Amino acid sequence: MAESVLKLLGLKWEETVECRLSVGNAVAEAEYKTGNFSIAIDAQNLMVVVKNSTGRIVWQSIHNYPFVQSTLGQDYIGDGEGGSFKIEEHDERFTVLQTITSVTHTDKSVTIYGGIGHKLVPPTHTEYTFTFTELTPNHLQFQVRVGKEGVPLQANSYRRVILTYSSHKDEDFYGFGEQFSFGTLKGQKVPILVRLLTENKVLVVERNRWITAILNARPEIFGQFAGGDSFTTYAPIPQYITTDNRCVFLENNEYSSFDLRKPDRVVIRVNSPVATGRIVDGDSMLELISNYTEYCGRMRALPEWAGKGAIAGMQGGEEKVRAVYARLKEYDVPVAAFWLQDWCGKRIQKVGNVEFKRLWWNWENDNVLYPHWEELVTDLKAENVRTLNYVNTFLADVQSKPSAKRNLYQEASEKGLLVKDAKTGGNLIISSGPEWEAGLLDITNPECREWFKVLMKESVFQYGVSGMMTDFGEYTPYDSAVAKFHSGVPAEEFHNQYPQEWAKLAFEVVQELGLENEAVMFHRSAFTKSPGYMNLMWAGDQNTAWDEHDGIRSAVTGMLSGGFSGLSITHSDIGGYTTFAGVIPGVTIKREKELLLRWMELSAFTCAFRTHEGINPDVNAQFYHDEDTYTHFGHTAKLFASISPYRQQLLEEAQNKGYPVLRHPVLLHSNDKKARSMTFQQYYLGNSLLVAPVLSPSTTYVKVYFPQEEGVTWRHIWTGKYYQANGSRVSVDAPIGQPPVFVKEPREDDGLLNDLMTYATNYFEKVSKMKK
């Protein structure tokens, strides 16, 4: 049928030709060894099969279907205003035919040669190569190249790799970095692009179900695509682990997507003519995480001081800090540190009729709020209480701030250290909402990196500060027509790398100051190799709400998801961050006391116990509001501190093996269908604690699932009651102050949970007596 006739019928050529794979007569059916792996060309079944040393299939293509394809078409990735990027993939002239014409083999590699095309005529084919190379006994690298190496691509050349291979309906997929809306990603299409997790990403509970629609409909107020989508995340990673003990990841930095919507296949789409990745081998999901993190790097264990009590996040100046600290001592609250994000000064941002309390992005201590900054830090340190502050890679022009000692934006601008506007050649100005603009440090510039490192040493770490929130990393433009970097790297390639390089820069500062065993640097954005430069993640800006897409539940989902991808040491803002009160007509979301108390309980069983006042502190319940909040804050901080020895062992395990501290149930029960389907309902802290946090309002009990495990019981820390690990789901009482937490028996924690058991028993007895 002529192509012109198809056009008249409204059809594309590739839609009328069945996708298929052909193996040339010159290609012998053979199995090639690379060491621990074997690659078989199955000419009879028209497929490629990869096995490990035991004969287990770790990757295989689909019978008579192209495993290498490509398309033309330019994707739309929005302007990224406010860190929000809308993604629309556009594919044209899909190649539906693939040939294998020859195969070469060395001791460690196998290369497949052939062509791909959208017509039957061979001259229309584009050449490709697919090379497998064994790098270690557990890592088989693959590289797919569309087009000839060394031959410049033409304007109409295929320059996108699409890789398709086999799966099945019962294979569940986890990872892809921090994903906040799903546990298993089977049935989803996951885009890999660093983006700001803004507000509600999908229509959620009844009272705030229209937030996303409103945000996305009012770009003049909130920015383009401010509502995001179900896969918006600060920390996407092109990697997954499955219940079939398979792990695949990309080494590429460009935008990619993983399509898992069809039950029988995985489709990886990479916006590059060269896609490089690895197949990782391992006998269990935990072992796969360990083997994967050999590549991405492993997070460093937190210093022991961070596990001894609360990191009290607050603002308002040194007088308020001293007053609140005095009250905390009255309530016997163990305090490890104060996190004072407004150390650099408070800046008001007006959105409608609401004033958000944000910061001056000019990294020096503010003499108005903290006129005796050095004395405050020193006094707290004398009582074994650290001080943390806040930094990001933006610089705001502070001409309108009378108390500013330096204007770092002007200094960086004069030195040429900011990302440039590709059109004008001037500084690229980034927006973070209404009337909020700043320059972005060009950390591809070695001079910029050194200048900022000196600034962090001499200003940020001044007077003995013990770390900071290392914020942002998502706003870097994706379009080379918009942003120009000193190194010449295309924006499309560097966008995902920016948070990784930001983490590396911050880590270099810590190393050069000799603070590896002291500093806590907590990040929210990340990419593939970020874990190797970090010692703490946080789940970003959740709504001050209960919902599962951007509230407390999503924080749990995101923390567990990240653990599959090397983000092994993590926590969340206690109480959430984003507040809607007077911003959107008819919509009010603010932090109620109950949510704050339950979030404290959750955080007691994570890696750090840190509060955040939120973007609009005045309307949110705070830990320092009244006797109830102080008392509960003290109780949950003691819970957190009581498991410090056990948690520290898990942190060392994360550093040495890459294991996540918070573990999704599927990691320990990969064949259990109920465990596979969980998102936020419960998790393990290590292997010896089962945690089922209260994530709904007005709740008096939680249904807890005890997966089948022979010879195991779980002891409730409050009542001492035992529950059999027999695959049952049981209702467990959960009054405020007693979140359902269980210790595994026979005990495997070497007594490291004894303090927790003693504290919980005493607390329960005390509460029981008060009720009588």
Side-chain angles (χ1 to χ4, degrees):
M1 186 181 293
E3 197 163 356
S4 58
V5 176
L6 293 175
K7 288 182 179 179
L8 291 174
L9 295 174
L11 298 174
K12 296 179 181 180
W13 176 269
E14 57 266 30
E15 292 174 346
T16 65
V17 179
E18 184 177 353
C19 291
R20 65 174 184 263
L21 172 70
S22 63
V23 180
N25 294 330
V27 179
E29 184 164 318
E31 185 173 79
Y32 304 93
K33 296 283 187 179
T34 61
N36 194 54
F37 296 92
S38 65
I39 294 91
I41 309 299
D42 187 340
Q44 182 175 352
N45 291 305
L46 297 172
M47 61 197 304
V48 176
V49 180
V50 180
K51 297 179 181 179
N52 68 6
S53 60
T54 67
R56 184 172 68 88
I57 296 174
V58 294
W59 187 94
Q60 69 177 10
S61 65
I62 298 172
H63 165 68
N64 196 22
Y65 193 91
F67 52 90
V68 176
Q69 294 174 287
S70 189
T71 60
L72 302 178
Q74 184 67 39
D75 290 348
Y76 170 79
I77 296 180
D79 61 15
E81 181 181 357
S84 302
F85 295 84
K86 184 177 183 179
I87 302 169
E88 295 177 357
E89 295 182 358
H90 293 281
D91 291 298
E92 302 170 7
R93 297 178 74 83
F94 210 109
T95 64
V96 293
L97 307 172
Q98 179 188 357
T99 62
I100 297 176
T101 57
S102 64
V103 180
T104 61
H105 174 228
T106 68
D107 288 345
K108 290 292 183 181
S109 69
V110 174
T111 300
I112 300 169
Y113 300 86
I116 56 174
H118 72 287
K119 289 187 177 181
L120 297 173
V121 185
T124 67
H125 281 201
T126 297
E127 294 185 15
Y128 76 88
T129 58
F130 194 132
T131 301
F132 293 100
T133 304
E134 182 168 327
L135 301 178
T136 73
N138 296 314
H139 284 242
L140 182 68
Q141 186 184 64
F142 61 84
Q143 185 174 88
V144 185
R145 181 183 297 275
V146 173
K148 287 186 177 180
E149 185 174 4
V151 177
L153 294 171
Q154 304 300 313
N156 61 345
S157 296
Y158 285 106
R159 59 185 68 229
R160 174 180 295 132
V161 172
I162 297 174
L163 180 62
T164 302
Y165 52 94
S166 177
S167 178
H168 59 85
K169 65 182 180 63
D170 294 320
E171 184 176 22
D172 283 305
F173 289 70
Y174 304 86
F176 300 107
E178 277 189 336
Q179 296 293 328
F180 291 93
S181 291
F182 301 96
T184 173
L185 276 300
K186 186 72 170 183
Q188 308 298 329
K189 183 175 182 179
V190 186
I192 305 297
L193 188 73
V194 174
R195 296 187 282 173
L196 184 71
L197 180 66
T198 46
E199 321 306 341
N200 282 63
K201 301 184 292 299
V202 295
L203 302 183
V204 291
V205 296
E206 183 70 23
R207 71 188 182 96
N208 61 355
R209 60 178 178 162
W210 301 112
I211 292 177
T212 293
I214 294 172
L215 290 173
N216 287 340
R218 298 297 302 275
E220 73 279 6
I221 296 178
F222 303 108
Q224 295 287 339
F225 200 57
D229 58 39
S230 297
F231 303 98
T232 303
T233 174
Y234 312 100
I237 294 176
Q239 171 267 359
Y240 66 75
I241 288 173
T242 82
T243 49
D244 279 12
N245 288 340
R246 301 192 215 187
C247 175
V248 172
F249 70 89
L250 293 176
E251 298 179 29
N252 288 66
N253 298 311
E254 297 90 347
Y255 169 73
S256 61
S257 63
F258 289 70
D259 192 343
L260 311 174
R261 291 176 295 183
K262 292 185 177 181
D264 69 335
R265 68 193 61 191
V266 176
V267 181
I268 301 178
R269 182 182 183 276
V270 188
N271 274 357
S272 171
V274 180
T276 304
R278 300 191 190 184
I279 299 165
V280 182
D281 189 27
D283 292 333
S284 68
M285 296 180 79
L286 277 173
E287 185 177 322
L288 284 172
I289 292 174
S290 186
N291 294 342
Y292 163 68
T293 54
E294 291 173 358
Y295 171 81
C296 72
R298 291 168 180 159
M299 296 183 70
R300 306 181 313 282
L302 289 166
E304 289 190 18
W305 68 258
K308 300 299 185 181
I311 299 175
M314 57 176 296
Q315 303 175 84
E318 62 185 53
E319 290 186 7
K320 182 179 177 181
V321 171
R322 291 183 185 276
V324 168
Y325 182 42
R327 296 297 306 279
L328 289 171
K329 288 190 284 188
E330 290 176 16
Y331 284 89
D332 193 30
V333 180
V335 179
F338 276 92
W339 171 53
L340 307 175
Q341 67 166 2
D342 64 344
W343 75 287
C344 51
K346 180 174 68 176
R347 184 181 180 188
I348 300 299
Q349 180 183 28
K350 292 187 176 181
V351 179
N353 297 321
V354 177
E355 292 186 346
F356 289 151
K357 293 175 174 60
R358 300 185 67 182
L359 310 174
W360 278 107
W361 294 345
N362 191 60
W363 313 119
E364 60 181 9
N365 66 286
D366 181 73
N367 286 336
V368 175
L369 287 175
Y370 299 96
H372 309 101
W373 177 247
E374 178 180 8
E375 183 179 339
L376 176 65
V377 174
T378 302
D379 288 351
L380 290 172
K381 192 70 171 287
E383 297 194 41
N384 204 28
V385 176
R386 270 72 170 180
T387 301
L388 307 177
N389 57 16
Y390 173 101
V391 172
N392 63 48
T393 55
F394 291 114
L395 296 174
D397 193 335
V398 293
Q399 292 185 66
S400 60
K401 184 186 180 188
S403 62
K405 299 182 282 291
R406 297 172 64 181
N407 190 326
L408 298 175
Y409 170 83
Q410 287 188 355
E411 291 181 30
S413 179
E414 291 169 3
K415 294 176 181 292
L417 306 182
L418 302 174
V419 176
K420 300 301 180 185
D421 187 312
K423 297 176 182 177
T424 67
N427 295 329
L428 181 70
I429 302 301
I430 302 289
S431 170
S432 182
E435 300 180 5
W436 195 280
E437 296 180 339
L440 179 64
L441 288 170
D442 185 350
I443 55 179
T444 73
N445 183 346
E447 184 182 350
C448 173
R449 295 179 74 96
E450 288 305 310
W451 178 81
F452 197 53
K453 283 161 69 174
V454 169
L455 175 68
M456 290 181 71
K457 293 172 188 177
E458 296 181 352
S459 180
V460 182
F461 273 103
Q462 194 176 24
Y463 310 129
V465 165
S466 296
M468 65 199 67
M469 175 184 278
T470 42
D471 202 7
F472 285 95
E474 314 88 3
Y475 281 53
T476 316
Y478 184 81
D479 190 346
S480 292
V482 174
K484 182 178 180 182
F485 295 94
H486 177 271
S487 69
V489 62
E492 294 83 356
E493 184 176 338
F494 193 64
H495 171 85
N496 282 337
Q497 280 184 277
Y498 195 99
Q500 184 173 287
E501 288 300 311
W502 170 210
K504 183 179 180 182
L505 187 155
F507 178 49
E508 289 171 356
V509 173
V510 169
Q511 282 185 309
E512 292 166 17
L513 290 172
L515 295 175
E516 296 97 323
N517 297 320
E518 169 66 17
V520 172
M521 311 287 279
F522 50 107
H523 306 250
R524 76 176 186 190
S525 62
F527 198 58
T528 309
K529 287 195 171 183
S530 293
Y533 307 119
M534 301 160 59
N535 67 356
L536 185 60
M537 276 291 289
W538 104 91
D541 298 347
Q542 272 71 45
N543 284 350
T544 54
W546 298 92
D547 75 82
E548 64 191 83
H549 295 292
D550 207 19
I552 186 173
R553 297 179 186 179
S554 75
V556 180
T557 304
M559 289 189 289
L560 298 182
S561 174
F564 291 94
S565 301
L567 302 173
S568 56
I569 302 174
T570 188
H571 75 304
S572 64
D573 294 331
I574 292 176
Y577 172 78
T578 305
T579 301
F580 292 93
V583 179
I584 301 175
V587 176
T588 297
I589 298 180
K590 60 182 180 179
R591 184 193 300 160
E592 304 293 347
K593 182 189 289 189
E594 184 187 4
L595 176 67
L596 175 65
L597 302 185
R598 290 303 195 182
W599 214 312
M600 289 178 185
E601 295 171 2
L602 164 66
S603 296
F605 297 95
T606 64
C607 297
F609 188 79
R610 179 185 57 83
T611 63
H612 198 315
E613 290 186 331
I615 196 169
N616 195 350
D618 295 342
V619 302
N620 288 332
Q622 306 291 352
F623 74 84
Y624 51 77
H625 260 180
D626 57 31
E627 183 175 352
D628 287 344
T629 54
Y630 270 116
T631 299
H632 195 75
F633 190 48
H635 166 53
T636 48
K638 289 172 184 174
L639 271 178
F640 175 78
S642 74
I643 62 171
S644 178
Y646 174 71
R647 184 175 48 245
Q648 200 64 35
Q649 184 182 72
L650 298 179
L651 294 172
E652 297 294 335
E653 191 175 53
Q655 177 175 284
N656 296 327
K657 295 183 178 181
Y659 292 176
V661 177
L662 281 68
R663 298 173 187 173
H664 190 290
V666 76
L667 285 173
L668 304 184
H669 311 283
S670 60
N671 294 321
D672 188 312
K673 291 184 178 180
K674 291 180 181 178
R676 288 183 177 201
S677 65
M678 288 183 173
T679 49
F680 50 79
Q681 293 87 351
Q682 60 189 62
Y683 60 90
Y684 293 99
L685 195 69
N687 289 351
S688 292
L689 273 182
L690 175 60
V691 183
V694 178
L695 304 174
S696 299
S698 304
T699 295
T700 59
Y701 68 93
V702 170
K703 289 187 176 181
V704 183
Y705 177 61
F706 297 96
Q708 181 78 40
E709 196 169 358
E710 188 175 352
V712 170
T713 58
W714 291 94
R715 183 181 176 185
H716 190 223
I717 66 169
W718 308 107
T719 64
K721 183 177 179 180
Y722 288 91
Y723 295 86
Q724 296 295 320
N726 57 7
S728 61
R729 192 183 298 274
V730 182
S731 295
V732 178
D733 288 343
I736 287 179
Q738 298 175 41
V741 177
F742 308 84
V743 173
K744 186 177 183 179
E745 295 206 4
R747 295 279 291 274
E748 297 176 351
D749 57 88
D750 296 325
L752 297 178
L753 292 172
N754 286 349
D755 288 348
L756 169 66
M757 298 302 294
T758 300
Y759 177 79
T761 299
N762 292 339
Y763 178 86
F764 183 76
E765 290 176 353
K766 178 182 176 181
V767 171
S768 298
K769 289 178 181 179
M770 292 173 61
K771 290 180 178 179
K772 293 180 180 178

